[in-house]
Amino acid sequence: MLVNTRQMLANARKNQYAIPQPNVWDVNSIRAALKASKEVQSPVIIGLAQAHLQYIGIEEVAMLANYYGNKFNVQYALHLDHGNDYHTIIKAIKFGFSSVMIDASTLPYEENVYLVKEIVKVAHACDVTVEAELGHVGSENSNSEINGSSQSVLTEPDEAEDFVKQTNVDSLAIAIGTVHGKYRGKPNIDIDRLEKIAKKVSIPLVLHGGSGTGENSLKKCIKLGISKINICTDLMVAATEGIKESLKTTDNFGDINLVAEAAIKECLTKYYKMFNCLNRI
């Protein structure tokens, strides 16, 4: 059943577990995510990053996710991840996405607030939930003292409180030291900062860059209010490693894709267990 993330994430925060948001990029990754959800009997948030529209379209993901979501009879949200322009976000809503992220985190604070408020007005009118980002989670492709990312700007607790009040956003992605992609060094997660934010912000908190962050750190984050964790890199790595191994015994493209799908499902299932997200439907 397709739902938005409002009650899904509220339940997760209240009961101290996190729902994974696997990013998808083709039919096999979509099917793997929904199969994992079925296996563990817990919700899933199917995430399509705007950057991945080069691999698959909004319409395609909507049709495939709805088909397999209904076939496997699971509770799922369809989420546009890191939407960074009005047209793409509205298109996602038009084609049935139940949740969207407006990522204006690299803009000045007041511009971020303004753009999020505009998206919230439209999305809420359509019963679509909205995620925004305050602070900025950078990537592994740059250099700095913050986990290899000069693009990272950590979230300020007082700003987070004001931001939520002004925008009426449904969930907030925060920057506490994670990165998108692979870490260059050892992750250094600012747990104290998270604890301060969680005391000031009552809505569900989101952690981007879950891949490679480590089980202990992620479990601490979940206890302190992180209710949704995005996973992409580890899923892609699992698929790639599965393909490499299968190429030793077959050159059948169809079989290779199924191996990749199974590897994605296995990787995601491990995260469900790590996030204390089993039998949550």
Side-chain angles (χ1 to χ4, degrees):
M1 177 177 63
L2 176 66
V3 299
N4 64 35
T5 63
R6 189 172 291 110
Q7 193 60 49
M8 185 189 288
L9 295 182
N11 290 342
R13 178 154 184 170
K14 178 181 178 181
N15 295 292
Q16 293 190 328
Y17 63 91
I19 298 172
Q21 183 224 281
N23 281 108
V24 299
W25 57 90
D26 63 6
V27 61
N28 296 104
S29 56
I30 293 169
R31 197 160 56 196
L34 289 161
K35 282 182 176 179
S37 171
K38 177 72 172 179
E39 181 173 310
V40 301
Q41 286 295 292
S42 292
V44 66
I45 300 169
I46 301 294
L48 171 64
Q50 183 165 341
H52 292 164
L53 291 178
Q54 60 182 313
Y55 306 136
I56 192 168
I58 286 172
E59 306 95 320
E60 293 171 282
V61 171
M63 288 187 291
L64 289 166
N66 289 331
Y67 173 77
Y68 286 111
N70 291 327
K71 179 178 180 179
F72 299 143
N73 192 28
V74 297
Q75 185 184 94
Y76 66 100
L78 195 50
H79 178 76
L80 179 70
D81 191 28
H82 290 288
N84 53 38
D85 68 81
Y86 189 83
H87 172 77
T88 303
I89 293 170
I90 297 304
K91 183 176 181 180
I93 293 172
K94 177 183 176 181
F95 281 97
F97 277 57
S98 59
S99 177
V100 294
M101 178 190 184
I102 166 64
D103 184 359
S105 60
T106 59
L107 299 177
Y109 180 77
E110 292 302 332
E111 289 185 43
N112 191 355
V113 168
Y114 173 77
L115 289 171
V116 173
K117 287 172 71 173
E118 292 301 300
I119 293 299
V120 165
K121 289 177 187 176
V122 177
H124 283 185
C126 303
D127 197 28
V128 170
T129 42
V130 180
E131 175 186 328
E133 183 171 325
L134 185 64
H136 181 68
V137 179
S139 71
E140 82 286 5
N141 296 320
S142 48
N143 298 300
S144 101
E145 296 178 355
I146 305 177
N147 292 330
S149 178
S150 60
Q151 300 171 350
S152 293
V153 178
L154 300 185
T155 306
E156 293 296 333
D158 289 338
E159 274 196 345
E161 182 180 26
D162 179 71
F163 187 86
V164 170
K165 287 179 180 177
Q166 286 203 57
T167 61
N168 196 30
V169 73
D170 298 288
S171 59
L172 183 67
I174 58 174
I176 55 171
T178 56
V179 300
H180 292 113
K182 294 182 179 180
Y183 288 90
R184 289 187 176 183
K186 185 179 178 181
N188 181 24
I189 311 305
D190 194 337
I191 297 296
D192 290 339
R193 183 178 297 269
L194 168 59
E195 189 169 14
K196 291 175 183 176
I197 294 169
K199 287 179 180 179
K200 290 180 174 290
V201 175
S202 60
I203 64 171
L205 300 175
V206 176
L207 193 67
H208 286 240
S211 296
T213 298
E215 182 171 356
N216 289 338
S217 291
L218 291 176
K219 285 184 174 180
K220 287 179 183 178
C221 289
I222 292 166
K223 286 184 179 180
L224 291 173
I226 293 293
S227 306
K228 170 178 175 279
I229 301 177
N230 291 19
I231 305 295
C232 181
T233 300
D234 278 356
L235 301 182
M236 286 190 164
V237 169
T240 302
E241 292 302 315
I243 289 169
K244 288 179 180 178
E245 188 64 27
S246 67
L247 284 170
K248 296 177 182 179
T249 57
T250 183
D251 58 3
N252 184 301
F253 188 70
D255 290 342
I256 291 169
N257 280 343
L258 292 180
V259 169
E261 182 177 314
I264 295 167
K265 174 178 167 290
E266 180 181 2
C267 180
L268 182 56
T269 300
K270 289 178 181 177
Y271 272 110
Y272 267 106
K273 294 175 182 176
M274 190 187 303
F275 295 171
N276 191 28
C277 190
L278 302 175
N279 300 307
R280 295 295 184 175
I281 294 180

